[in-house]
Amino acid sequence: MQDLDAVRINFHESGLVFLNILLGLIMFGIALELKLEDFKLLFKKPRASVTGIVSQFFLFPFATYLLLWILNPPPGVALGMLLVAACPGGNISNFITSLAKGNTALSISLTAVSSSLAIVATPFNFFFWGNLYPPVHKTLKEITLDPFDVFKAILIILLIPITLGLLTNRFLPKFAKKAEKPLKLLSALIFAAFLVIALAANFQAFLQVIHRVFLYVFLMNSIGFILGYYFAKWMRLDEKDARCISIETGIQNSGLGLVLIFAFFGGQGSMAIIAAIWGIWHAIAGVSLAWFWSKRTESATA
């Protein structure tokens, strides 16, 4: 049986540049619909906002860390799981929350806040939990990865596009309104096409290992949705807020994870496969969950 950590993904350097630009474009598209008021919701509705941030940036990485001890995956797979868990909410979470009849305004504010916090929180969570898990700690020492390099990459990929998007919305509101939906749709389609092309170029490698890593993604993603929902309920939030926080916790920006994997881990196969499968599966699972919730009686969301 092939060693999962020996798998390598064929990915040209120009592809990494394109992926960086594409992810920046996606974040810019998201920021076009953001206003400074979205950040203010953190203070207007502090319990829901803090619950969402704690669920996403503390509970979910911690739950993933515990899952590693239970499943004992290969080090590369464990690194991929920790990196995905450390990423901010995915760019489709707002759409899925709306479909689920959740609190879309809260979802938008959490996307804005989590993407901003990710500049610090993503490298912190990845290295903090990684260094607490012995098999991964050894691998991190071998890679000699500088957390500051990861911080700089996330700063460029997230902060600059989000800032530009906010400024565009502030000073060119008509353009932002017209460009917002087409840009989000176009960037999502390009990203999907990019994933398909990358999968096609490494199809044999994916076929050989997908059945061995899907369970990790499925369990981790399911835990994210369940954890977010019941933590929100435990915090006495209403149904709409609970649905939103469930989705924000279970939908992660795996595109950012892929960029970091190819930039700093040389396309380490099992890490990239975890992030790529996550990018496909969390959308399927999220839309399925939203469809289920959308069919529930209106009284459930009151």
Side-chain angles (χ1 to χ4, degrees), residues 13-300:
E13 188 175 344
S14 60
L16 177 60
V17 173
F18 178 74
L19 186 57
N20 274 276
I21 294 171
L22 179 57
L23 188 60
L25 186 65
I26 290 171
M27 298 312 300
F28 175 73
I30 291 172
L32 283 179
E33 67 175 335
L34 298 179
K35 300 178 179 66
L36 290 176
E37 287 75 18
D38 295 323
F39 291 89
K40 292 177 183 177
L41 186 63
L42 180 69
F43 303 100
K44 291 179 180 178
K45 203 171 184 180
R47 186 169 55 170
S49 302
V50 171
T51 298
I53 292 167
V54 170
S55 177
Q56 190 168 24
F57 282 125
F58 176 73
L59 294 182
F60 187 48
F62 176 57
T64 302
Y65 168 74
L66 294 180
L67 192 62
L68 295 182
W69 283 101
I70 295 169
L71 299 178
N72 192 29
V77 171
L79 277 172
M81 292 169 68
L82 286 173
L83 185 57
V84 168
C87 286
N91 58 296
I92 60 170
S93 61
N94 307 152
F95 163 73
I96 293 177
T97 299
S98 176
L99 184 63
K101 297 181 180 178
N103 188 336
T104 307
L106 177 62
S107 176
I108 291 170
S109 72
L110 284 174
T111 297
V113 172
S114 69
S115 296
S116 303
L117 290 177
I119 297 162
V120 174
T122 294
F124 172 80
N125 268 321
F126 178 67
F127 287 99
F128 178 79
W129 297 111
N131 282 315
L132 289 180
Y133 185 62
V136 169
H137 175 60
K138 181 182 177 182
T139 305
L140 284 176
K141 285 179 67 177
E142 291 172 355
I143 295 170
T144 62
L145 184 61
D146 185 353
F148 186 66
D149 289 337
V150 180
F151 169 80
K152 286 190 294 184
I154 296 174
L155 184 74
I156 294 168
I157 295 166
L158 294 184
L159 184 62
I160 293 175
I162 289 173
T163 302
L164 289 175
L166 284 167
L167 290 173
T168 302
N169 198 356
R170 174 68 178 83
F171 296 106
L172 298 169
K174 291 183 179 179
F175 170 78
K177 191 171 182 62
K178 288 181 180 178
E180 170 202 324
K181 288 184 179 178
L183 186 59
K184 285 180 71 175
L185 178 61
L186 179 64
S187 58
L189 289 173
I190 295 174
F191 185 71
F194 180 86
L195 275 181
V196 169
I197 293 169
L199 283 169
N202 299 274
F203 192 60
Q204 290 303 317
F206 275 93
L207 279 183
Q208 291 172 10
V209 299
I210 188 171
H211 63 286
R212 296 169 59 193
V213 299
F214 177 73
L215 180 63
Y216 300 124
V217 172
F218 174 80
L219 290 174
M220 182 179 160
N221 183 237
S222 300
I223 287 170
F225 287 128
I226 294 168
L227 182 66
Y229 183 82
Y230 285 104
F231 178 56
K233 286 292 188 178
W234 184 72
M235 292 295 290
R236 298 181 181 178
L237 299 179
D238 64 29
E239 180 70 15
K240 286 189 175 184
D241 288 351
R243 292 181 183 185
C244 165
I245 291 169
S246 170
I247 290 165
E248 288 295 322
T249 308
I251 301 293
Q252 299 294 92
N253 191 340
S254 55
L256 173 63
L258 279 172
V259 167
L260 297 176
I261 289 164
F262 287 116
F264 298 106
F265 295 91
Q268 208 278 0
S270 48
M271 287 186 74
I273 289 167
I274 287 288
I277 293 175
W278 181 281
I280 297 168
W281 175 250
H282 79 160
I284 295 171
V287 169
S288 300
L289 180 61
W291 177 84
F292 168 76
W293 271 333
S294 71
K295 298 301 179 183
R296 305 250 337 241
T297 58
E298 290 296 326
S299 60

